[in-house]
Amino acid sequence: MTINARTLAIVERPICRITSVCPPMRDIIERHQVWAYLIAVVLGLFVGWKTSPGEVGPDYMIWTLLGILLYTTFTQTPLTHLSEVFRDRQFMGALLTGNFVVMPAITALLVLALPDNDALKLGLLLVLLMPCTDWFVTFTHLGKGDSTRAVAATPVLLVAQLALLPLYLWLFLGSQFGVNLEFGRHLLPAFVGLIIVPLILAFLTHKWAEDSRKASRFIRLTGLMPVPLLTVILFIVSMTQASQIASTGGIVWILMILFPTYLLAAALVGKGLRQIFRLSPETGRTVVFSLGTRNSFVVLPLALSMPEAWAAAVVVIVVQSLVELFGMMFYLRWVPDRLLPNT
């Protein structure tokens, strides 16, 4: 069932209302967001190479900031109307087909380009087979996609990847893969901390705003926060991962070809699915951002928990996360302006 024009009007009205205050300030922030992200990444890499920042503090800081980032993004979404969006079968069909049929097939082809190293293959499979369930929502919002549909899609994406990832790993690696990844121990806390808790808090904030002008002003204020928060996160991630990238040698150059290739393929697949499923440009952008963003922050702890023999998998995930960050900067302009414009 597709969402008709009347339903879309009902769903979009709250988000238009809560994001229309302080437009000059918000417009300025979002107009210069790409430069802010680029400076954050470059500065973070420089600081990480010149110093040896501690790991425990920044790791906890990233998780905390990601949770706040998702909360501020969720507050800009009309959560009370998610049920209507969730029943959009065309959108869900495009999303699931792209993430769990088309892109895994493309990932299988990319694996063939890697050296004969099981750890490298595992790292690439782990990160490219896991659709993002956190900042995908933020990038969708910043890239003029449909953040309401993005929020509705996150639990579906998580359940599907939890169910299918072991099957994919068995198909692609077979008996060579003998490491216990302990999926539940890592993914369930990540999902609760980064998705469920911010989502519940944002929903309660919306309910509070129905009867409180103060809460409404607070929601409008949170609309200014996603870009600055994401800028800080990018700096910390780049800083803490710089040393690992510097120590990888020739592996990085192979990955620097494969991951941009994946991002280009994801965008083209998203555009094709948008035409096949007859989605609006805004909804099509949501599909593109979903196919392009991966769960690197969630799978990284999985890779770190494995024995030393599989350490190269960590390098793959680290490099992918940074390539994706640069790719999303490009996506934010290219997808709404060129790939899937409104006209």
Side-chain angles (χ1 to χ4, degrees):
M1 184 182 88
T2 59
I3 300 178
N4 57 37
R6 182 178 180 182
T7 301
L8 276 176
I10 294 173
V11 172
E12 292 170 353
R13 194 177 301 129
I15 196 168
C16 293
R17 183 174 66 248
I18 63 178
T19 59
S20 61
V21 176
C22 300
M25 177 63 69
R26 181 162 182 164
D27 288 346
I28 291 172
I29 291 175
E30 296 190 354
R31 189 182 309 124
H32 298 288
Q33 62 185 304
V34 174
W35 289 109
Y37 299 155
L38 179 61
I39 292 171
V41 170
V42 173
L43 185 59
L45 290 174
F46 177 78
V47 173
W49 281 325
K50 291 297 183 180
T51 62
S52 298
E55 296 181 356
V56 177
D59 284 345
Y60 282 111
M61 191 181 302
I62 291 172
W63 282 72
T64 301
L65 290 175
L66 277 173
I68 298 173
L69 172 65
L70 266 294
Y71 168 72
T72 60
T73 301
F74 291 156
T75 58
Q76 306 307 301
T77 303
L79 298 175
T80 55
H81 299 286
L82 284 181
S83 60
E84 294 289 341
V85 178
F86 188 77
R87 289 197 291 269
D88 186 350
R89 294 179 182 177
Q90 288 177 288
F91 166 65
M92 286 297 176
L95 197 73
L96 296 176
T97 300
N99 274 305
F100 300 110
V101 179
V102 182
M103 297 316 298
I106 292 174
T107 299
L109 295 177
L110 296 179
V111 169
L112 297 177
L114 287 174
D116 188 16
N117 184 305
D118 291 341
L120 291 179
K121 294 177 181 179
L122 174 62
L124 187 140
L125 291 171
L126 273 177
V127 74
L128 292 188
L129 293 173
M130 299 277 279
C132 186
T133 54
D134 41 68
W135 67 7
F136 144 62
V137 180
T138 299
F139 280 123
T140 298
H141 171 66
L142 297 176
K144 300 179 182 178
D146 190 327
S147 56
T148 302
R149 284 181 171 86
V151 173
T154 53
V156 178
L157 291 175
L158 186 85
V159 171
Q161 66 187 251
L162 284 174
L164 292 174
L165 182 61
L167 174 62
Y168 286 140
L169 293 179
W170 178 77
L171 287 174
F172 295 144
L173 294 178
S175 59
Q176 298 171 347
F177 181 67
V179 178
N180 180 11
L181 294 179
E182 301 180 0
F183 294 113
R185 184 169 68 88
H186 293 292
L187 290 178
L188 185 58
F191 180 62
V192 172
L194 292 179
I195 302 296
I196 297 298
V197 172
L199 196 57
I200 291 175
L201 291 176
F203 178 80
L204 294 176
T205 303
H206 275 287
K207 298 297 289 185
W208 176 35
E210 292 177 358
D211 302 313
S212 172
R213 292 183 179 180
K214 184 180 296 185
S216 298
R217 288 194 296 269
F218 174 73
I219 289 177
R220 293 192 290 267
L221 179 62
T222 61
L224 304 175
M225 296 175 64
V227 172
L229 283 170
L230 190 53
T231 301
V232 174
I233 291 172
L234 296 187
F235 171 78
I236 296 173
V237 170
S238 301
M239 179 181 65
T240 56
Q241 297 179 355
S243 61
Q244 295 193 49
I245 294 175
S247 64
T248 55
I251 296 176
V252 172
W253 299 110
I254 300 173
L255 300 177
M256 292 293 287
I257 296 174
L258 293 183
F259 289 137
T261 300
Y262 175 90
L263 286 171
L264 177 60
L268 297 178
V269 168
K271 181 177 182 179
L273 290 172
R274 181 248 169 174
Q275 295 172 339
I276 293 172
F277 286 88
R278 299 180 180 180
L279 304 175
S280 68
E282 185 181 39
T283 306
R285 293 174 203 138
T286 306
V287 174
V288 169
F289 278 101
S290 177
L291 300 184
T293 53
R294 304 288 90 184
N295 245 343
S296 56
F297 286 110
V298 175
V299 298
L300 186 58
L302 294 178
L304 290 171
S305 69
M306 294 187 294
E308 183 66 26
W310 298 85
V314 176
V315 174
V316 175
I317 296 169
V318 166
V319 173
Q320 189 279 334
S321 65
L322 293 180
V323 171
E324 181 180 298
L325 296 179
F326 281 99
M328 288 304 106
M329 296 176 203
F330 178 71
Y331 265 34
L332 288 176
R333 290 290 181 87
W334 180 56
V335 172
D337 294 344
R338 299 288 185 178
L339 185 71
L340 293 175
N342 287 325
T343 55

